[in-house]
Short mmCIF file of all heavy atoms in Angstrom, two decimals:
data_model
loop_
_atom_site.label_atom_id
_atom_site.label_comp_id
_atom_site.label_asym_id
_atom_site.label_seq_id
_atom_site.Cartn_x
_atom_site.Cartn_y
_atom_site.Cartn_z
N ARG I 37 44.67 270.77 67.27
CA ARG I 37 45.77 270.94 66.32
C ARG I 37 45.65 272.28 65.60
O ARG I 37 46.63 273.02 65.46
CB ARG I 37 45.77 269.80 65.31
CG ARG I 37 46.28 268.47 65.85
CD ARG I 37 46.16 267.38 64.79
NE ARG I 37 46.77 266.13 65.23
CZ ARG I 37 46.72 264.99 64.55
NH1 ARG I 37 46.10 264.95 63.38
NH2 ARG I 37 47.30 263.91 65.03
N GLN I 38 44.45 272.59 65.15
CA GLN I 38 44.25 273.84 64.43
C GLN I 38 44.42 275.05 65.35
O GLN I 38 45.10 276.03 65.00
CB GLN I 38 42.85 273.86 63.80
CG GLN I 38 42.44 275.18 63.18
CD GLN I 38 43.38 275.64 62.07
OE1 GLN I 38 43.92 274.82 61.34
NE2 GLN I 38 43.57 276.95 61.93
N MET I 39 43.82 275.00 66.52
CA MET I 39 43.89 276.14 67.44
C MET I 39 45.32 276.38 67.92
O MET I 39 45.74 277.53 68.06
CB MET I 39 42.94 275.93 68.61
CG MET I 39 41.48 276.04 68.23
SD MET I 39 40.39 275.80 69.66
CE MET I 39 38.78 276.11 68.90
N ALA I 40 46.06 275.31 68.17
CA ALA I 40 47.45 275.48 68.58
C ALA I 40 48.27 276.13 67.48
O ALA I 40 49.12 276.99 67.73
CB ALA I 40 48.04 274.13 68.98
N ALA I 41 48.01 275.72 66.23
CA ALA I 41 48.75 276.28 65.10
C ALA I 41 48.44 277.75 64.89
O ALA I 41 49.32 278.52 64.46
CB ALA I 41 48.43 275.48 63.84
N GLN I 42 47.22 278.17 65.18
CA GLN I 42 46.83 279.56 64.91
C GLN I 42 47.01 280.47 66.12
O GLN I 42 46.85 281.68 66.02
CB GLN I 42 45.37 279.61 64.44
CG GLN I 42 44.37 279.31 65.55
CD GLN I 42 42.94 279.14 65.07
OE1 GLN I 42 42.68 278.78 63.92
NE2 GLN I 42 41.99 279.43 65.94
N GLY I 43 47.29 279.89 67.30
CA GLY I 43 47.61 280.71 68.47
C GLY I 43 46.53 280.84 69.51
O GLY I 43 46.64 281.68 70.41
N GLY I 44 45.47 280.01 69.45
CA GLY I 44 44.47 280.06 70.52
C GLY I 44 43.08 279.73 70.07
O GLY I 44 42.81 279.54 68.88
N GLY I 45 42.18 279.65 71.04
CA GLY I 45 40.78 279.36 70.77
C GLY I 45 40.06 278.95 72.03
O GLY I 45 40.63 278.93 73.13
N ALA I 46 38.79 278.64 71.89
CA ALA I 46 37.97 278.21 73.02
C ALA I 46 37.09 277.05 72.59
O ALA I 46 36.51 277.07 71.49
CB ALA I 46 37.10 279.36 73.53
N ILE I 47 37.00 276.05 73.46
CA ILE I 47 36.21 274.85 73.17
C ILE I 47 35.28 274.58 74.34
O ILE I 47 35.67 274.71 75.51
CB ILE I 47 37.13 273.63 72.95
CG1 ILE I 47 38.04 273.84 71.74
CG2 ILE I 47 36.30 272.35 72.78
CD1 ILE I 47 39.10 272.75 71.56
N VAL I 48 34.05 274.19 74.02
CA VAL I 48 33.10 273.72 75.03
C VAL I 48 32.62 272.34 74.61
O VAL I 48 32.21 272.14 73.46
CB VAL I 48 31.90 274.67 75.18
CG1 VAL I 48 30.89 274.10 76.17
CG2 VAL I 48 32.36 276.05 75.64
N ASN I 49 32.68 271.40 75.54
CA ASN I 49 32.16 270.05 75.32
C ASN I 49 30.83 269.90 76.07
O ASN I 49 30.70 270.39 77.19
CB ASN I 49 33.14 269.01 75.85
CG ASN I 49 34.49 269.08 75.18
OD1 ASN I 49 34.58 269.26 73.96
ND2 ASN I 49 35.55 268.95 75.96
N THR I 50 29.89 269.19 75.47
CA THR I 50 28.65 268.90 76.17
C THR I 50 28.81 267.64 77.00
O THR I 50 28.98 266.54 76.47
CB THR I 50 27.47 268.72 75.20
OG1 THR I 50 27.23 269.95 74.51
CG2 THR I 50 26.20 268.35 75.96
N ALA I 51 28.79 267.81 78.32
CA ALA I 51 28.73 266.67 79.23
C ALA I 51 27.28 266.57 79.71
O ALA I 51 26.36 266.57 78.90
CB ALA I 51 29.73 266.84 80.38
N SER I 52 27.06 266.49 81.01
CA SER I 52 25.71 266.33 81.55
C SER I 52 25.80 266.34 83.06
O SER I 52 26.88 266.10 83.63
CB SER I 52 25.11 264.99 81.07
OG SER I 52 23.93 264.66 81.78
N VAL I 53 24.68 266.55 83.74
CA VAL I 53 24.67 266.32 85.18
C VAL I 53 25.00 264.85 85.46
O VAL I 53 25.51 264.52 86.54
CB VAL I 53 23.33 266.69 85.82
CG1 VAL I 53 23.12 268.20 85.79
CG2 VAL I 53 22.16 265.97 85.16
N ALA I 54 24.74 263.98 84.48
CA ALA I 54 25.12 262.56 84.61
C ALA I 54 26.62 262.37 84.51
O ALA I 54 27.11 261.26 84.71
CB ALA I 54 24.41 261.71 83.56
N GLY I 55 27.36 263.42 84.21
CA GLY I 55 28.81 263.37 84.27
C GLY I 55 29.34 263.85 85.61
O GLY I 55 30.55 263.84 85.84
N LEU I 56 28.42 264.25 86.50
CA LEU I 56 28.80 264.75 87.81
C LEU I 56 28.27 263.88 88.95
O LEU I 56 28.72 264.02 90.09
CB LEU I 56 28.26 266.18 87.99
CG LEU I 56 28.73 267.21 86.94
CD1 LEU I 56 28.01 268.53 87.16
CD2 LEU I 56 30.24 267.40 86.99
N LYS I 57 27.30 263.03 88.63
CA LYS I 57 26.71 262.15 89.64
C LYS I 57 26.18 260.90 88.94
O LYS I 57 26.20 260.82 87.72
CB LYS I 57 25.60 262.87 90.41
CG LYS I 57 24.46 263.37 89.53
CD LYS I 57 23.47 264.23 90.31
CE LYS I 57 22.78 263.44 91.41
NZ LYS I 57 21.76 264.23 92.12
N GLY I 58 25.68 259.96 89.72
CA GLY I 58 25.15 258.73 89.14
C GLY I 58 23.82 258.94 88.45
O GLY I 58 23.11 259.91 88.72
N ALA I 59 23.48 258.01 87.57
CA ALA I 59 22.22 258.08 86.82
C ALA I 59 21.67 256.67 86.68
O ALA I 59 22.04 255.95 85.74
CB ALA I 59 22.43 258.72 85.46
N PRO I 60 20.80 256.23 87.58
CA PRO I 60 20.26 254.87 87.51
C PRO I 60 19.58 254.60 86.17
O PRO I 60 18.89 255.45 85.61
CB PRO I 60 19.23 254.85 88.65
CG PRO I 60 19.72 255.88 89.62
CD PRO I 60 20.32 256.95 88.77
N ARG I 61 19.81 253.41 85.65
CA ARG I 61 19.31 252.96 84.36
C ARG I 61 19.94 253.70 83.18
O ARG I 61 19.52 253.54 82.04
CB ARG I 61 17.78 253.01 84.28
CG ARG I 61 17.07 252.25 85.39
CD ARG I 61 15.57 252.27 85.21
NE ARG I 61 15.15 251.30 84.20
CZ ARG I 61 14.86 250.01 84.45
NH1 ARG I 61 14.98 249.53 85.67
NH2 ARG I 61 14.46 249.21 83.47
N LEU I 62 20.95 254.49 83.48
CA LEU I 62 21.70 255.22 82.46
C LEU I 62 23.19 255.09 82.74
O LEU I 62 23.96 256.03 82.57
CB LEU I 62 21.30 256.71 82.45
CG LEU I 62 19.88 257.06 82.04
CD1 LEU I 62 19.58 258.52 82.36
CD2 LEU I 62 19.65 256.79 80.56
N ALA I 63 23.62 253.91 83.18
CA ALA I 63 24.99 253.74 83.65
C ALA I 63 26.02 254.02 82.56
O ALA I 63 27.04 254.69 82.80
CB ALA I 63 25.18 252.33 84.21
N THR I 64 25.77 253.52 81.36
CA THR I 64 26.73 253.73 80.28
C THR I 64 26.76 255.20 79.86
O THR I 64 27.83 255.77 79.63
CB THR I 64 26.39 252.84 79.07
OG1 THR I 64 26.33 251.48 79.50
CG2 THR I 64 27.43 252.98 77.98
N TYR I 65 25.58 255.80 79.77
CA TYR I 65 25.50 257.23 79.44
C TYR I 65 26.25 258.05 80.48
O TYR I 65 27.04 258.93 80.14
CB TYR I 65 24.03 257.65 79.38
CG TYR I 65 23.83 259.12 79.11
CD1 TYR I 65 23.96 259.64 77.83
CD2 TYR I 65 23.50 260.00 80.14
CE1 TYR I 65 23.77 260.99 77.57
CE2 TYR I 65 23.31 261.35 79.91
CZ TYR I 65 23.45 261.84 78.62
OH TYR I 65 23.25 263.18 78.38
N ALA I 66 26.03 257.75 81.77
CA ALA I 66 26.72 258.48 82.84
C ALA I 66 28.23 258.28 82.74
O ALA I 66 29.01 259.23 82.91
CB ALA I 66 26.21 258.03 84.20
#
């Protein structure tokens, strides 16, 4: 909302390699 109002910006979210493949015993985290 703020960036759109001001005309731009850049955002980075922290995912994980567990967001790209499976992670046994970490199913919910993945």
Side-chain angles (χ1 to χ4, degrees):
R37 285 177 174 174
Q38 172 59 33
M39 289 180 176
Q42 71 189 26
I47 297 173
V48 176
N49 300 318
T50 296
S52 168
V53 291
L56 302 174
K57 59 187 297 184
R61 305 184 78 88
L62 294 168
T64 305
Y65 177 78

